[in-house]
Amino acid sequence: MDYIKERFKAKADELGADVKDLLKQHGSKKLDEVTVAQTYQGMRGVTGLVSETSLLDPNDGIRFRGYSIPELREKLPRVPDGSEPLPEGLFYLMLIGELPEEKDAQHLSNVWGRRSQVPRHVFNTIDKLPPDTHPMTQFGIGIMAMQTESVFAKAYSDGINKKEYWSYMYEDAMNLIARLPRLAAYIYRRKYKGNVHIEPDASLDWAGNFAHMLGYDDDSFRALMRLYMTIHADHEGGNVSAHTVHLVGSALSDPYLAFASGMNGLAGPLHGLANQEVIRWIQQLREELGGGLPNKAEIEKYVRKTLDEGKVVPGYGHAVLRKTDPRFTAQMEFAKKHLPDDELVNIVWRVYEVVPPILQELGKVKNPWPNVDAHSGALLVHYGLVEYEFYTVLFGVSRALGVLASLCWDRALALPIERPKSVTTRWMKDFVSGKIETGF
Ligand code: NMX
Ligand code: MLT
């Protein structure tokens, strides 16, 4: 067995015993109370899930196994002379719970390189789609077409012991992560680069090779991809993509089925699609003004128009965060170092000065600050990756690291099928008037 898989198994046995003990001793302890409003309003603030890989603090932002984004940028392994962390290292951290050594990240690069072959029928399936199909739709369909490769689905159909589920899920997760950059690059090159494809470079790391297959071999773009793939990987368990993967996986749907479902959630404009919406929104602003760097008054007018039209300001707000997203800050730092004079980046920074007080003024927006999507597109445009409909696919490739590490944990801890209780408004009225008690 691969040594990282062995380490994971040892950690999972240890935590599995802890969880058993925790449930035995404290299983009936109350964790939360749920109000009528929370039931109608997206279960906001209800603690109802366990996800080992990361934890979100409303003010400090995301911590992966206790490490903040600035700490990860300092402590995770890099390529020689590299400035940004290797996502392989982050995956190791999320899976094992400890910082990797350089050789662990290198080992994952090699393992994923060896497993990265995408079967021809997947590309054939993509080729059958109209070229203007949204890249996220192509991505979801490509992942589903790859489900033929699921070792878990095959093993389950052959008949396996429950105790072995985690092992097959692990293999699927590793294969899927290895193959996603190839699939994503294929979609990109087919749709935007005349269907001319670029062979992988086995000497490169996972994110570096992804940049290469997309057609961007600039060192600083590779650094950006390593940073991008690291910061988008996970955001605890309750966000739409992570929760969906967990939910669908809880039915023992294999990682291909579960991950494709999560990607359909990421494709929504209130979630991962917001990164394309931000660039679209800024381009429209520039078109209205005839180009150039808009001043603050012009941006303010445009923001107010957006709100008056009953639309959200993309890239701003969050269901949990209550401060500027540290993922936004990390990208801002990258831009200050590599492209401080870029016009679009400067617009993003100016928008950051204008939007929060206006959203605050509305009195209802709980978080007026920018999230990860407010910055990412401007960086990509700078390097020539201007096709903004593709941006959510990049987010999705990165998100695989967190949600598939989590799915390995779900199966290793033998978490059951997810099935919360729902009620009707009729039931709710009877409950609030005291006619019935919950009885659950
Ligand atoms: N622009 C305008 N109105 C907003 C915004 C915004 N950026 N954010 C929240 N609101 C409104 C929201 O629509 C709601 O209005 P109403 O009561 O009329 O329905 C009200 O403020 C209260 O919403 P919140 O409780 O602050 O936010 P909620 O937790 O429901 O939603 C988001 C969180 C992220 C969906 C929301 O802030 C939003 O729509 N933001 C813009 C889209 C976006 O950037 N999404 C990306 C999130 C990050 N990601 O990658 O997933
Ligand atoms: C995410 O990265 O998943 C988003 O910030 C959305 C969330 O956490 O709800």
Side-chain angles (χ1 to χ4, degrees), residues 196-228:
V196 178
H197 299 281
I198 300 171
E199 284 302 306
D201 178 345
S203 69
L204 288 170
D205 54 291
W206 184 74
N209 189 34
F210 186 23
H212 164 72
M213 289 187 290
L214 288 168
Y216 299 90
D217 274 318
D218 188 272
D219 271 349
S220 118
F221 185 82
R222 280 187 197 158
L224 173 64
M225 265 307 102
R226 291 179 192 118
L227 176 66
Y228 191 112

Side-chain angles (χ1 to χ4, degrees), residues 56 234-235 238-241 271 318-320 325 327 372 395 399:
L56 184 59
D234 208 33
H235 220 226
N239 67 75
V240 170
S241 49
H271 192 17
H318 201 274
V320 181
D325 191 334
R327 300 172 296 178
V372 65
F395 193 157
R399 188 48 57 103

Side-chain angles (χ1 to χ4, degrees), residues 133-199:
T133 307
H134 193 282
M136 273 308 273
T137 309
Q138 300 196 34
F139 192 49
I141 289 170
I143 297 161
M144 288 300 291
M146 240 180 337
Q147 194 262 348
T148 49
E149 309 308 293
S150 172
V151 293
F152 175 81
K154 181 172 184 319
Y156 192 88
S157 141
D158 291 347
I160 37 164
N161 189 306
K162 284 176 167 196
K163 292 191 180 121
E164 302 300 321
Y165 290 169
W166 75 273
S167 172
Y168 294 96
M169 286 277 183
Y170 180 97
E171 295 303 326
D172 272 351
M174 296 296 266
N175 289 339
L176 187 47
I177 291 170
R179 290 166 178 161
L180 288 173
R182 194 88 208 272
L183 171 66
Y186 187 87
I187 293 166
Y188 180 72
R189 305 279 317 172
R190 170 179 180 256
K191 182 163 170 133
Y192 304 111
K193 301 290 169 186
N195 213 10
V196 178
H197 299 281
I198 300 171
E199 284 302 306

Side-chain angles (χ1 to χ4, degrees), residues 238-302:
N239 67 75
V240 170
S241 49
H243 187 189
T244 305
V245 174
H246 167 78
L247 168 69
V248 177
S250 83
L252 295 186
S253 304
D254 63 62
Y256 294 85
L257 299 173
F259 184 65
S261 310
M263 288 303 97
N264 289 335
L266 193 73
L270 296 189
H271 192 17
L273 204 79
N275 57 11
Q276 81 161 46
E277 293 304 294
V278 168
I279 294 303
R280 219 155 62 92
W281 183 78
I282 294 178
Q283 305 289 31
Q284 272 166 13
L285 160 70
R286 286 172 113 185
E287 269 165 38
E288 283 183 25
L289 296 173
L293 184 64
N295 63 37
K296 283 196 195 177
E298 288 167 331
I299 295 174
E300 176 169 349
K301 200 169 153 213
Y302 184 65

Side-chain angles (χ1 to χ4, degrees), residues 67 70-78 99-100:
Y67 294 97
E71 285 166 345
L72 292 183
R73 287 179 86 188
E74 195 195 307
K75 292 181 196 296
L76 283 180
R78 305 171 191 177
L99 280 175

Side-chain angles (χ1 to χ4, degrees), residues 48-51 237 240-252 258 262 403 406-407 410-411 415-418:
L49 290 166
V50 174
S51 181
V240 170
S241 49
H243 187 189
T244 305
V245 174
H246 167 78
L247 168 69
V248 177
S250 83
L252 295 186
V403 298
S406 265
L407 199 58
D410 291 350
R411 294 291 72 78
L415 300 185
I417 190 162
E418 188 183 314

